[in-house]
Structure formats: structure tokens, C-alpha cells
Amino acid sequence: MTPSERLKGIEAFVMTASAGSFTAAAERLHLTSSAVGKSVARLEARLGIRLFERTTRRLALTEAGTAFYRTCAQVLTDLEEAETVLAVQQNEPVGRLRVDAPATFGRLRVWPPLLRFAERHPRLRPHVSFTDRFVDLLDEGIDVAVRIGGPDHWPASIGCRHLGRERLLFCASPAYLARRGAPASADDLARHDAVLYGKADGSVSPWLIAHADGQIERRAMTGRIIAGSGDAQVAAVKAGCGIAQLATWLVDEAITRGELAPVLPALATDGLPLHLLWPVGKQLLPKVDAVLAMLTEELRIA
């Protein structure tokens, strides 16, 4: 049996064991759960050993599977380190790069420059996920994460680069303002329809009102429409459903095109912080160092 034949199914097996299910492993490998399950089954058949105990409710390693997992995980680590040595010598970003970014911000602001970066480095294999949950970088094998919000201080195992704070702006469609008139003050906002952001736990984000003395008021509003994504809020505002407070990165192009208009621009205020995160042990890898430099330049907020 050749070395390449011995490696068949190993990555699927190791990922399934670490993720705890075929479905979770499939998401990380960018495959279907059926394909991962079949790959593991073929590996078991070739070895003549059952690696997992399967029930309708759980998937667990057998005793033999546990021993095999330790060895296989080390083999894959050694292979990646060998690839890294070559990459360091060539100072060229190569290999698989796991990037995680917020859903809307990631699609609009992270994905385009990352595609250009991948085109310049054809030996790089980006694997990008878009999610608004705070993933565990170490547990889920993420090389670089873009985060809006979060704590001011991260664990020592996580590198962090602050890129600034998003800017929040009230805006509405020209049609809505023609129909209802523009608010003249912060207090005048109460007579207008509000398009608010609703969180997964059922709570609704308040509007932030900047006062002349520098104080920021968190004002709870009654929304005509509550949406759980920035994209949906923008669509509702464009449709003339009301006024929303949105990040400038989300609406600046629509404002330039005349689809939206700023409302009470003097009330614009800072929003959540923007960070780049990475496992500190990976920063010296050319692929991680290069993408951190690129994203810092592309995403930094003045």
C-alpha cells in the first residue's frame, strides 16, 4: 500500500473526532456530511477496525479509535508544519487559511479584498466562514478572525489588533423624508417610524444619541419594524419603512447613489470596536502574517 493510500480518509476521521459529528466536520472541510461519513467508513473497512461507536444520539471514539486519533492528529500536524517550513523558506503564503468574519460585514468588506489577495497568491487555499457568533479560534482551527464588538481584553493566547470603531448614522430613504418630513432634533425622532435591530435573544438594540456635552444616551425605541440583520434593515429603510441608525460601512454606498439620505448628521456617533484576532502561535506563518497586514490596511477605520 502506498503512503498516499494510507492517508485517504485520515483528515475526515481526525476532523470528525475533534468536531464530534459528521455534520460539524463537513462544515469545516467544506464537504457534505454524507461524503465525510463515507470517507470514514471506507477507512474503517480498510483498517478492519471500528473507529466510532454510532448511535442515533451521539458519535464517540472507540478505544482503538482514540489511540488511532492521537497518532493521526500528530501526523497531520507534522505535515502542516512541513508545509510551513517550505512556506517560510519561500516567504510565500501557501496552504489552507481559515478566516471567520461577521456575516454582513464579512460579505461586504472582508470578502472582496480577500478574493483579491487569493488571486495574488494562487497557492493559498482560503476557507472563509461568515457568522455572527463568537467562535473559539483555537477550538475551531481559525487562523484569523474579524470581530465587531467583544471585550476590550482578549486571552493571552489570542493576538488582537484594534482597527477603530464603526460610525453610526441615522438615515432614511428620500421617499420617506418627502412623505413624513425630516426630524429636526433627537426628540423629534419619536414621532417617526423606527427600523430597529433585533437580537437572537429577543432583545432590541437601543439607539445611541450623541449630546452636545459628549454624553451618549442609550434610547429605547418602539420599532415599526425589527430585523435581525443589517442587510434587512437597509432593505426596509430603502423601501421607505422608516429611519434606522446604521453603521456607515453598511450604508455609505447607498448614500452615494442617492438611495438613502443622512438624517440629523450631527448626531452621528461611534459604535462598536473592530478587531482582528488570531492565535498568537500562528502569527509567524507567512499566510497569517500576510493576511493580517492586508486586512489591517483594508479595514482600518480612520
Side-chain angles (χ1 to χ4, degrees):
M1 183 179 297
T2 66
S4 62
E5 289 175 328
R6 286 193 177 94
L7 287 173
K8 287 183 178 178
I10 295 298
E11 186 177 24
F13 163 65
V14 169
M15 194 62 72
T16 300
S18 61
S21 72
F22 292 132
T23 300
E27 290 179 355
R28 298 185 189 181
L29 292 170
H30 210 54
L31 298 171
T32 65
S33 57
S34 175
V36 174
K38 289 178 180 178
S39 181
V40 172
R42 286 193 294 268
L43 178 63
E44 289 179 316
R46 178 167 62 80
L47 296 172
I49 296 174
R50 181 182 295 177
L51 300 172
F52 290 104
E53 293 288 356
R54 299 166 173 81
T55 71
T56 57
R57 302 182 65 180
R58 61 191 295 269
L59 189 68
L61 285 167
T62 62
E63 184 176 347
T66 299
F68 191 59
Y69 168 75
R70 294 194 190 101
T71 301
C72 290
Q74 186 60 52
V75 167
L76 292 181
T77 298
D78 290 344
L79 286 173
E80 184 165 347
E81 288 179 355
E83 185 180 75
T84 298
V85 169
L86 293 176
V88 169
Q89 290 177 347
Q90 299 173 4
N91 198 30
E92 170 70 13
V94 302
R96 195 162 180 255
L97 178 74
R98 284 293 313 276
V99 178
D100 187 78
T104 302
F105 184 82
R107 290 193 298 269
L108 292 179
R109 300 299 184 182
V110 178
W111 189 232
L114 196 56
L115 287 177
R116 295 192 294 270
F117 183 79
E119 185 178 6
R120 294 195 301 272
H121 302 286
R123 297 176 62 196
L124 191 70
R125 304 193 309 276
H127 179 170
V128 186
S129 53
F130 301 100
T131 175
D132 290 325
R133 67 184 177 88
F134 279 79
V135 301
D136 187 314
L137 275 65
L138 300 176
D139 184 56
E140 301 191 30
I142 303 298
D143 296 306
V144 176
V146 180
R147 282 288 165 262
I148 297 178
D152 292 329
H153 301 286
W154 299 84
S157 58
I158 300 299
C160 176
R161 186 171 298 166
H162 180 71
L163 301 182
R165 285 182 173 271
E166 61 181 0
R167 191 74 175 161
L168 301 179
L169 180 71
F170 289 106
C171 57
S173 71
Y176 175 88
L177 296 175
R179 185 175 73 250
R180 296 287 301 272
S185 66
D187 291 337
D188 203 20
L189 288 170
R191 71 176 181 84
H192 283 268
D193 296 329
V195 178
L196 304 177
Y197 180 81
K199 301 178 183 178
D201 62 6
S203 62
V204 178
S205 295
W207 279 354
L208 303 183
I209 307 295
H211 292 285
D213 60 1
Q215 296 296 310
I216 303 298
E217 173 193 354
R218 298 173 62 85
R219 182 176 297 183
M221 302 293 294
T222 299
R224 179 191 174 198
I225 290 179
I226 299 173
S229 80
D231 284 338
Q233 283 184 282
V234 171
V237 175
K238 285 182 179 180
C241 296
I243 295 174
Q245 186 177 47
L246 297 165
T248 52
W249 58 260
L250 191 56
V251 298
D252 53 4
E253 292 182 2
I255 290 174
T256 299
R257 293 192 298 265
E259 298 169 341
L260 295 177
V263 171
L264 297 173
L267 297 183
T269 186
D270 286 340
L272 297 172
L274 177 65
H275 294 111
L276 282 179
L277 306 176
W278 64 92
V280 292
K282 294 187 176 184
Q283 186 172 357
L284 294 180
L285 299 179
K287 62 182 180 181
V288 174
D289 186 57
V291 82
L292 284 173
M294 180 275 293
L295 289 176
T296 297
E297 181 178 351
E298 293 282 349
L299 304 180
R300 188 180 294 281
I301 301 172

